[in-house]
């Protein structure tokens, strides 16, 4: 059933093309015009603490960024897909299981596509979230976490070794430009199921396209982790600082 995801991804991009503006989920600040009678606002030396991430917030971010990521992928950009990955990562970090996320998404009132998603589109979104969880599990993002085990068994069986191979390839210095899908497929080609052996060439092409898309998502998940570590000054580095005249 998963091999139909790419077809419906294409359909999704077509059917939501009528949306006049692409809405990317952001928490914007509202400015209010102050009146002479309003209480003045004073700046504080202490930064405002960020709001605690909740399950409904994660679900809303996933719902919005999924549709926009699908639209953006058609033009070759991945910025919104990285936001989707960051949202799934946020769910992982606050301990949400895949079933819990699915329940929250079902309860989410937002409809970025202008309509309820079709079953195949929901399935594709679940695969994307599951890939993020499997990748985080593989790199021990939270050592005591067993959230990767909440991925649907069929998805876990299909992608577990694939995720392992992609993560190892990145550790060896490969990137999306240098790592070819054929290398990963060949490394797992010794064991084929009866279902795989009975596939037509067209079905194999669709399957390879899905795996290629999945490889990109796994790589981007690792990229999001690297960028976060750099921003925090981890791995022996320091967070970037603004240039101060006279100190360079």
């Amino acid at each position: 059933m998963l091999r139909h995801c790419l077809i419906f991804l294409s359909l999704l991009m077509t059917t939501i093309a009528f949306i006049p503006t692409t809405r990317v989920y952001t928490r914007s600040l509202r400015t209010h015009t102050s009146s002479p009678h309003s209480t003045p606002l004073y700046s504080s030396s202490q930064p405002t603490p960020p709001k605690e991430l909740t399950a409904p917030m994660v679900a809303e971010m996933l719902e919005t960024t999924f549709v926009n990521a699908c639209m953006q992928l058609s033009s070759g950009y991945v910025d919104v897909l990285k936001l989707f990955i960051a949202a799934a990562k946020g769910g992982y970090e606050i301990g949400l299981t895949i079933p819990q996320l699915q329940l929250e998404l079902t309860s989410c009132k937002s409809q970025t596509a202008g309509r309820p998603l079709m079953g195949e589109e929901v399935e594709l979104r679940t695969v994307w979230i599951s890939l993020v969880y499997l990748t985080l599990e593989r790199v021990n993002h939270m050592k005591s976490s067993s959230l990767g085990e909440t991925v649907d068994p069929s998805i876990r069986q299909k992608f577990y070794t694939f995720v392992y191979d992609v993560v190892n390839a990145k550790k060896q210095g490969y990137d999306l430009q240098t790592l070819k899908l054929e290398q990963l497929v060949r490394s797992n080609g010794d064991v084929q199921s009866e279902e795989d052996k009975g596939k037509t060439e067209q079905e194999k092409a669709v399957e390879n396209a899905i795996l290629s898309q999945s490889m990109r998502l796994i790589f981007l998940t690792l990229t999001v982790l690297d960028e976060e570590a750099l921003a925090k000054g981890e791995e022996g580095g320091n967070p970037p600082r603004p240039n101060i005249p006279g100190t360079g």
Side-chain angles (χ1 to χ4, degrees):
M1 188 174 183
L2 288 176
R3 63 175 176 267
H4 300 301
C5 288
L6 189 68
I7 298 172
F8 282 94
L9 173 60
S10 222
L11 177 61
L12 173 62
M13 290 186 289
T14 302
T15 54
I16 61 181
F18 65 89
I19 299 177
T21 57
T22 301
R23 294 177 295 157
V24 178
Y25 182 88
T26 54
R27 292 282 185 179
S28 60
L29 297 176
R30 295 180 180 178
T31 57
H32 300 274
T33 304
S34 58
S35 67
H37 304 290
S38 62
T39 303
L41 300 177
Y42 299 96
S43 62
S44 171
S45 59
Q46 298 297 325
T48 303
K51 290 183 179 180
E52 182 178 353
L53 192 64
T54 64
M57 289 170 61
V58 171
E60 187 177 353
M61 287 188 288
L62 288 172
E63 197 283 332
T64 305
T65 54
F66 171 71
V67 173
N68 287 311
C70 291
M71 295 175 65
Q72 200 183 61
L73 280 175
S74 65
S75 58
Y77 294 97
V78 296
D79 294 343
V80 185
L81 180 56
K82 289 171 71 175
L83 292 178
F84 177 89
I85 291 169
K89 173 178 164 290
Y92 189 94
E93 290 174 342
I94 65 174
L96 293 176
T97 65
I98 297 293
Q100 285 175 325
L101 271 179
Q102 290 173 324
L103 181 61
E104 289 293 339
L105 284 164
T106 302
S107 304
C108 185
K109 296 181 179 179
S110 299
Q111 290 186 1
T112 308
R115 56 167 176 79
L117 296 184
M118 295 183 292
E120 292 79 4
E121 296 163 348
V122 172
E123 183 182 2
L124 177 62
R125 184 178 63 190
T126 300
V127 170
W128 283 11
I129 296 171
S130 299
L131 286 171
V132 175
Y133 270 48
L134 290 173
T135 305
L136 296 176
E137 177 191 47
R138 171 53 54 191
V139 299
N140 294 318
H141 181 60
M142 294 173 61
K143 295 182 179 179
S144 61
S145 175
S146 59
L147 290 171
E149 297 176 4
T150 68
V151 172
D152 183 90
S154 64
I155 299 177
R156 188 176 180 85
Q157 180 181 8
K158 182 179 183 66
F159 290 105
Y160 185 81
T161 302
F162 186 76
V163 170
Y164 175 86
D165 289 339
V166 174
V167 171
N168 282 347
K170 188 173 187 302
K171 287 181 179 179
Q172 294 170 16
Y174 286 96
D175 57 26
L176 282 173
Q177 284 68 43
T178 57
L179 179 63
K180 302 301 181 183
L181 179 63
E182 290 77 10
Q183 295 174 258
L184 297 176
V185 174
R186 194 182 305 118
S187 67
N188 295 319
D190 296 335
V191 180
Q192 283 189 322
S193 66
E194 291 301 321
E195 181 184 357
D196 290 333
K197 292 178 181 179
K199 289 177 181 176
T200 65
E201 289 302 318
Q202 182 179 3
E203 289 174 329
K204 289 179 182 179
V206 172
E207 185 76 9
N208 285 341
I210 293 173
L211 289 177
S212 179
Q213 181 190 92
S214 300
M215 183 173 69
R216 176 182 294 273
L217 192 142
I218 296 165
F219 256 101
L220 288 175
T221 301
L222 298 172
T223 300
V224 168
L225 290 174
D226 289 343
E227 290 174 349
E228 182 183 73
L230 181 62
K232 290 181 178 179
E234 296 175 1
E235 298 184 1
N238 293 312
R241 298 180 180 180
N243 180 46
I244 301 176
T247 63

